[in-house]
Amino acid sequence: MQVFVRDNNVDQALRALKKKMQREGIFREMKARKAYEKPSERKTREKAEAVRRARKLARKQAIREGLIAAPKRPARDARGAGRGARPSASPAPRPGN
């Protein structure tokens, strides 16, 4: 896994690395490997994961075919800026500065 540091901005590169690791499931795997998992517990967990995946796939298929309604999307604020929005290029001057 590789992340480039631009303009000596290590904080931004670290955030990007954490996001990549989260997407890859590395944190989940590290947590799972922290302690021994009995084979019976592993089978139970894997079976539950398979059921979850099958239900998710069936739900997506039903939405695609129009059998059930798609979930509502959360409303955005008036300006259309959701989470993680960047401030405008030239912010208004603050009093006292």
Side-chain angles (χ1 to χ4, degrees):
M1 194 168 299
Q2 192 175 41
V3 175
F4 294 105
V5 179
R6 295 188 201 129
D7 300 328
N8 290 328
N9 195 344
V10 178
D11 291 332
Q12 183 181 9
L14 193 59
R15 268 199 311 273
L17 177 65
K18 284 182 181 178
K19 194 180 286 188
K20 277 187 176 185
M21 290 173 72
Q22 181 75 34
R23 256 188 253 131
E24 294 289 324
I26 292 174
F27 292 123
R28 192 180 315 120
E29 188 174 336
M30 283 170 44
K31 185 177 177 185
R33 288 176 184 247
K34 196 178 284 190
Y36 178 73
E37 185 178 26
K38 288 171 44 179
S40 60
E41 291 172 349
R42 181 171 170 242
K43 283 181 196 170
T44 305
R45 178 182 51 80
E46 287 178 350
K47 200 173 283 189
E49 287 173 358
V51 168
R52 261 195 308 276
R53 278 194 308 272
R55 282 187 183 153
K56 184 176 181 179
L57 188 69
R59 185 171 51 246
K60 284 189 172 193
Q61 186 69 31
I63 289 171
R64 218 176 289 125
E65 293 173 356
L67 300 175
I68 59 174
K72 300 267 184 190
R73 299 189 102 179
R76 297 171 69 116
D77 68 353
R79 292 177 293 150
R83 233 179 102 205
R86 295 183 178 181
S88 60
S90 57
R94 290 185 180 166
N97 284 351

